[in-house]
Amino acid sequence: MFRKILFLSIPLVCLLDTTHAATAEKPPNIILMMCDDLGWGDTGFNGNKIIKTPHLDQIAADGAKLNHFYSIGPVCSPTRASFLTGRHYFRMGIWTANYGHLPQEEFTIARMLREKGYATGHFGKWHLGTLSTEISAKGKKRRPEVNFAPPWLRDYDASFVTESAVQTWDPGKGERAVDNPYYENGSIATENLEGCDSRVLMDRAIPFIRDAAAAEKPFVAVIWFHAPHEDVVAGPEYLKMYEGHGAAAHYYGSITAVDDQVGRLRAELDKLGVADDTALFFCSDNGPEGATDPDQSKNNRRSAGVTGGFKGRKRSVHEGGVRVPALALWPGRIQPGTVIDTPCSVLDYLPTVSAVTGGEPLPGRILDGENIIPILEGKVNKHEKSIPFRFGPYACLVKGDFKLIINSPDDNGEDELYDLSKDRKETNNLRKQYPEMVQEMRGEILAFLHSAKNSHNGAEYDEKDYKATDAWKMLRNISVEKPKPSGK
């Protein structure tokens, strides 16, 4: 049988070892799942006492829970770009949600595995360009004439996707469906669009997996749920589960609906006889839209998500905006009940999948992530590369136990430095206690931004006359014209 790797994305799970990929007789299957706006504290395996997630909890028991996993982007489109490429989203001009597109020149997981003979499929949200040359989702910033970048032109054999968010019940209806239909393999879908959106998209993902298994062909399935992004609507059976929780019942119910589909997927893998050959990863694309106490959110389904006590929320580079729930499962390779506290991120997916499958990234292409198989297998507890962030007026870096946030290339007066091993809530700014560390990390941040600007201008692409769709985004006072190694 083919070895199949199932990736479950809540913050993503850290994977495999290059030596195994080289000696494996047959390549594993890969499943990469991600929720939309799911907070670190919104699952049972991370301690939520209200929201029922038994199937995700079982994955944590059967595999690994990643306690310190980053989405990289504090909003959705940036995270998705980094997820598929192993590169920071600033390298490709996806500054924020609903902006820009995935360049054709980028080397993705789908492209890498398609070249290795994998069947490739993408299901659910896309959010990396328009799906039409004429329309874009209502109210969004993309321009169809220049941001057309559908998955069927990005190395996917099968796809069932929307450009942007849809409501989580009856996804073909409502305000968010305007100019934002589901496209199935390039054509607007018209059937099986009623009821639970998580079920609707899984109805397309499972046949893709069945066909690949029947053909004895390795596959990669990227499954990006819309829940629990607004408009959050739960079906009757799920609302009944959460009676007494007011409007928040819709939020809770939509998460349990995702969990049911994850359980359905695992049952199908068992039925097909490929569960032991599959590695599964799960994470979220950013923190929750609201990070309020659930007892104060009963009348606001939009703000019912929780961060587990981390500071900030969606649109913040503090932990609540970028640290997300994440899982990894690979029978026989990842020990059951593993808990990983080492920082990892979605940037690690492509280099890890490369190591697992023998797929080769493009030579000369800068990757910001690393192969985390040794971390997942418990062989090491250190992430070698620093993890960069960039959003709004802020740039920051996680390096070992420490996290630095800056908002100026020259003035370090408002810098924030935290020791996350002792201060997970980011309450004690250590900037003045560790000036040399601040200076070193500042230099690394600014050097990264300078590198990202070069990438954005096409420095690593083969096309000599490449021109980015949009000019380098100079947000507020962050400049990268002359990166400086000091904090002066």
Side-chain angles (χ1 to χ4, degrees):
M1 299 294 295
F2 291 106
R3 296 189 64 103
K4 300 174 174 109
I5 298 178
L6 185 58
F7 283 83
L8 188 68
S9 226
I10 289 189
L12 235 205
V13 91
C14 307
L15 278 161
L16 322 150
D17 181 51
T18 54
T19 57
H20 292 284
T23 59
E25 293 182 2
K26 293 181 180 180
N29 298 321
I30 308 293
I31 298 180
L32 299 162
M33 297 193 286
M34 185 161 65
C35 276
D36 198 345
D37 288 7
L38 184 73
W40 190 94
D42 285 339
T43 64
F45 66 81
N46 274 346
N48 196 292
K49 302 300 184 183
I50 300 174
I51 303 173
K52 300 176 177 65
T53 56
H55 298 293
L56 291 173
D57 300 346
Q58 189 61 53
I59 290 174
D62 294 341
K65 179 175 73 158
L66 300 170
N67 277 338
H68 198 162
F69 191 87
Y70 288 114
S71 62
I72 298 301
V75 292
C76 39
S77 297
T79 292
R80 294 164 199 276
S82 292
F83 185 117
L84 296 181
T85 64
R87 289 155 58 80
H88 195 277
Y89 46 88
F90 257 54
R91 294 190 185 277
M92 57 203 86
I94 300 180
W95 323 114
T96 188
N98 303 296
Y99 198 102
H101 66 274
L102 180 66
Q104 180 67 54
E105 294 79 8
E106 281 295 324
F107 188 82
T108 65
I109 290 173
R111 179 176 168 187
M112 180 175 68
L113 294 188
R114 198 181 204 186
E115 291 177 355
K116 292 289 294 182
Y118 275 64
T120 59
H122 193 110
F123 308 92
K125 195 174 186 180
W126 177 240
H127 223 15
L128 290 172
T130 68
L131 305 178
S132 167
T133 57
E134 298 178 353
I135 62 170
S136 179
K138 182 179 179 181
K140 306 309 178 188
K141 307 177 185 71
R142 293 192 179 99
R143 296 168 289 165
E145 67 278 10
V146 296
N147 293 139
F148 179 63
W152 55 91
L153 295 182
R154 295 297 184 270
D155 299 289
Y156 286 103
D157 301 316
S159 59
F160 178 72
V161 294
T162 63
E163 177 192 335
S164 186
V166 293
Q167 65 184 27
T168 56
W169 187 267
D170 286 344
K173 302 176 182 178
E175 185 71 14
R176 287 188 175 271
V178 177
D179 291 337
N180 187 32
Y182 261 114
Y183 285 80
E184 189 161 15
N185 300 322
S187 299
I188 294 178
T190 58
E191 298 180 356
N192 188 15
L193 298 174
E194 292 76 35
C196 177
D197 175 70
S198 297
R199 191 268 308 156
V200 166
L201 66 89
M202 193 63 77
D203 279 356
R204 272 70 173 194
I206 285 178
F208 164 79
I209 292 171
R210 285 175 183 160
D211 289 346
E216 296 189 341
K217 186 173 185 177
F219 65 84
V220 56
V222 179
I223 302 172
W224 287 351
F225 297 100
H226 289 98
H229 191 291
E230 59 179 345
D231 295 343
V232 190
V233 183
E237 63 180 296
Y238 295 105
L239 290 177
K240 188 174 181 180
M241 289 183 188
Y242 297 104
E243 286 181 344
H245 289 281
H250 285 278
Y251 186 89
Y252 303 157
S254 72
I255 295 172
T256 299
V258 167
D259 187 80
D260 281 348
Q261 295 307 312
V262 171
R264 176 187 172 197
L265 175 61
R266 289 196 71 188
E268 185 67 27
L269 295 173
D270 281 330
K271 182 179 178 181
L272 294 171
V274 300
D276 289 344
D277 302 321
T278 299
L280 178 144
F281 296 83
F282 174 90
C283 73
S284 177
D285 65 345
N286 48 249
E289 180 66 49
T292 56
D293 186 315
D295 288 337
Q296 300 174 0
S297 305
K298 289 184 177 181
N299 293 317
N300 189 347
R301 68 182 75 179
R302 182 174 183 263
S303 301
V306 293
T307 66
F310 292 112
K311 181 179 181 180
R313 60 186 182 95
K314 182 177 180 179
R315 303 179 190 87
S316 170
V317 294
H318 285 290
E319 295 293 281
V322 291
R323 191 187 290 210
V324 293
L327 300 170
L329 174 69
W330 192 7
R333 290 295 300 278
I334 299 173
Q335 292 299 310
T338 297
V339 177
I340 295 172
D341 293 314
T342 304
C344 300
S345 81
V346 300
L347 290 169
D348 299 321
Y349 283 144
L350 186 142
T352 299
V353 170
S354 171
V356 169
T357 63
E360 294 291 336
L362 291 181
R365 187 64 58 91
I366 295 173
L367 295 180
D368 297 304
E370 67 186 59
N371 167 26
I372 58 173
I373 292 172
I375 295 174
L376 291 177
E377 292 188 330
K379 295 178 179 179
V380 300
N381 60 3
K382 180 181 179 181
H383 195 277
E384 294 297 330
K385 290 186 178 182
S386 301
I387 303 174
F389 303 81
R390 176 71 175 87
F391 191 75
Y394 303 106
C396 65
L397 196 76
V398 169
K399 186 179 182 70
D401 292 334
F402 287 87
K403 178 178 181 179
L404 179 69
I405 304 174
I406 70 174
N407 68 359
S408 169
D410 305 307
D411 182 2
N412 66 1
E414 296 184 9
D415 288 357
E416 301 174 46
L417 179 69
Y418 302 104
D419 181 349
L420 297 176
S421 68
K422 301 175 182 178
D423 182 21
R424 68 194 296 270
K425 295 186 178 182
E426 300 170 282
T427 59
N428 185 20
N429 187 350
L430 302 175
R431 171 177 60 86
K432 294 182 179 180
Q433 288 93 318
Y434 296 100
E436 293 182 357
M437 180 179 294
V438 169
Q439 178 176 326
E440 177 186 347
M441 292 179 71
R442 267 184 155 267
E444 190 170 346
I445 289 173
L446 295 174
F448 158 72
L449 290 173
H450 182 70
S451 173
K453 182 177 181 180
N454 287 337
S455 296
H456 173 257
N457 289 335
E460 298 150 67
Y461 297 157
D462 293 334
E463 293 76 5
K464 295 182 180 180
D465 297 326
Y466 174 82
K467 291 185 179 181
T469 302
D470 299 292
W472 176 259
K473 192 74 171 178
M474 303 299 290
L475 297 180
R476 296 193 188 179
N477 57 352
I478 288 288
S479 171
V480 296
E481 293 301 327
K482 296 179 180 180
K484 300 179 181 180
S486 73
K488 297 180 180 179

